[in-house]
Amino acid sequence: MSTTDLQKEISLVKQSYEDNKSTLGYNELFIKYLGKKGQVNKLFNKISLLGKDEKLSPLKSVNEIKDFIETDIKSIKTSSIDESKDDQNMYLPVKASETGNLHPITAVTRNLNQFFHYYGFSVYDGPEIETDYYNFEMMGVPADHPARELQDTFYLREPDILLRTQASSIEARELEKQNPPIRFVSAGKVFRNETTNKSNASIFHHYQGVCVDKDITMANLKWIFDKSLKYILGPDTVIRFRAKYYPEVEPGMSPDIKCTFCNGKGCEICKFRGWIEIAGGGMIHPNTLEKAGIDSKIYSGFAFGWGLDRIAMTKYDIRDIRLLFNGSIVYV
Ligand SMILES: [Zn+2]
């Protein structure tokens, strides 16, 4: 074959590539032109048959064409990735799957668990279906106690099997099982027979903490309230403490946080008080300790309960407690 014919053939290969590139995929183009038995290699084979001097010029042309096709195929490949034809494109990396977020209550619970774990608290769970004894009786609320009015619940079997009204039922069970020193937290759903509105629901979430040891006082409880509330809601959280009655503790107190929705001016969420009651606690009543078999002359302890829903609402700016029970994924 003469060098002129070869040059002609080289031009034809280039022309054929130009004609095919709009119809063939880059894989097919690669095989047809740059593959082992591709057209460019065929040209190289023909050149190898030429004499030493004749080779130079066609070799240069074929190399140019090879470079051109290589670059062009690469650009086709890149642009096809940009167009995301990923259903056909075997070279694309696998798309990362979309994951959901943690529910605000779960996120807050885990956050609090982390805090309390750091201070030596274990994490316990307990049943949502409770007996009257662990839910009321042991926590200082016998059958004729007026506090039962405030904690009306749903009975599975009257009068003794019910849905727990507070996570203190876990406290009752654990105090009975363990010997001091005792330190634990627990979180879970609690139930009340209440009309649902923006800030109350018949299902909500409690976070309960218990510490029983020698020389435990209200000062320990106040410290842990202050530290944990600021940990979860931010260092600028304004907290006030006031005395409050709870049947299972003596004395009892309640930390309120300044309403962040109205900055203390009063709004629907804080019931126009400017403050939100977020937790309650106090010294575990000696009667409760004695019922659990703990000597109240040697040991004392504090217990506290948080409303997790209100914490999540404050933390994530959720203005209606009912949103925590629907499928909205816009928070967290
Ligand atoms: Zn408010």
Side-chain angles (χ1 to χ4, degrees):
M1 182 183 269
S2 74
T3 47
T4 328
D5 288 344
L6 194 56
Q7 286 293 3
K8 255 187 207 163
E9 210 169 302
I10 292 168
S11 320
L12 283 174
V13 168
K14 193 179 177 197
Q15 190 55 50
S16 130
Y17 174 79
E18 293 287 2
D19 293 343
N20 282 325
K21 76 179 218 185
S22 57
T23 48
L24 298 179
Y26 65 84
N27 272 334
E28 291 160 297
L29 285 172
F30 187 90
I31 293 164
K32 189 171 170 70
Y33 294 96
L34 301 177
K36 235 181 178 179
K37 292 178 182 169
Q39 306 224 5
V40 172
N41 261 352
K42 277 184 188 161
L43 292 175
F44 278 127
N45 290 339
K46 284 178 183 169
I47 291 169
S48 67
L49 302 173
L50 295 174
K52 206 178 174 188
D53 294 337
E54 291 169 324
K55 272 182 187 173
L56 287 175
S57 164
L59 195 60
K60 194 169 169 256
S61 307
V62 176
N63 272 325
E64 275 170 11
I65 283 190
K66 186 176 170 245
D67 288 346
F68 166 77
I69 294 177
E70 264 175 4
T71 318
D72 206 50
I73 281 182
K74 256 186 209 167
S75 76
I76 293 171
K77 187 176 175 180
T78 314
S79 67
S80 81
I81 288 170
D82 288 345
E83 284 164 20
S84 301
K85 289 177 182 166
D86 47 3
D87 53 338
Q88 295 158 13
N89 191 338
M90 306 302 280
Y91 290 84
L92 277 178
V94 177
K95 234 185 182 180
S97 59
E98 286 180 17
T99 51
N101 290 318
L102 289 178
H103 189 281
I105 296 288
T106 311
V108 171
T109 305
R110 289 193 184 177
N111 230 333
L112 280 171
N113 282 349
Q114 224 166 17
F115 172 88
F116 283 104
H117 196 256
Y118 179 80
Y119 287 102
F121 287 72
S122 306
V123 180
Y124 289 115
D125 202 1
E128 289 174 8
I129 297 172
E130 255 310 347
T131 61
D132 183 272
Y133 179 74
Y134 287 116
N135 193 77
F136 288 124
E137 196 83 28
M138 194 166 159
M139 303 318 292
V141 190
D144 56 354
H145 199 288
R148 290 226 179 183
E149 290 265 311
L150 302 169
Q151 295 193 16
D152 188 18
T153 185
F154 305 98
Y155 285 84
L156 278 85
R157 196 182 71 200
E158 278 196 277
D160 56 341
I161 308 289
L162 47 88
L163 293 180
R164 69 181 177 201
T165 58
Q166 50 187 355
S168 313
S169 58
I170 304 169
E171 174 189 341
R173 285 172 178 275
E174 291 303 326
L175 287 182
E176 217 173 51
K177 259 189 254 170
Q178 300 187 35
N179 292 318
I182 302 168
R183 249 188 236 192
F184 70 87
V185 286
S186 47
K189 277 194 197 80
V190 295
F191 307 84
R192 302 274 170 97
N193 187 5
E194 278 195 27
T195 312
T196 300
N197 57 34
K198 262 190 176 178
S199 47
N200 292 294
S202 52
I203 302 173
F204 53 104
H205 302 81
H206 261 183
Y207 194 83
Q208 170 87 12
V210 175
C211 172
V212 180
D213 205 342
K214 287 175 184 162
D215 304 322
I216 297 292
T217 68
M218 285 287 266
N220 301 114
L221 175 61
K222 188 170 179 277
W223 183 88
I224 207 125
F225 262 144
D226 190 74
K227 199 98 176 157
S228 53
L229 280 168
K230 284 181 176 165
Y231 170 81
I232 202 90
L233 298 173
D236 301 331
T237 308
V238 185
I239 307 162
R240 72 172 185 189
F241 293 92
R242 62 195 166 83
K244 200 177 173 193
Y245 167 75
Y246 297 102
E248 64 267 51
V249 291
E250 178 59 38
M253 68 148 148
S254 169
D256 298 340
I257 55 156
K258 199 183 217 177
C259 178
T260 49
F261 295 98
C262 62
N263 201 23
K265 291 193 188 84
C267 68
E268 249 184 27
I269 294 171
C270 58
K271 294 173 186 156
F272 300 96
R273 289 182 193 131
W275 295 86
I276 295 179
E277 189 181 332
I278 215 152
M283 299 306 291
I284 300 172
H285 201 290
N287 287 347
T288 302
L289 290 178
E290 295 291 341
K291 273 183 203 163
I294 295 167
D295 190 341
S296 64
K297 286 181 194 73
I298 302 172
Y299 296 104
S300 58
F302 65 70
F304 61 84
W306 301 38
L308 278 179
D309 308 76
R310 299 219 172 131
I311 290 171
M313 286 169 80
T314 309
K315 192 172 163 74
Y316 299 112
D317 203 12
I318 301 168
R319 286 161 182 272
D320 192 326
I321 197 169
R322 289 166 291 196
L323 285 170
L324 292 170
F325 299 101
N326 73 19
S328 173
I329 53 165
V330 297
Y331 296 102
V332 183

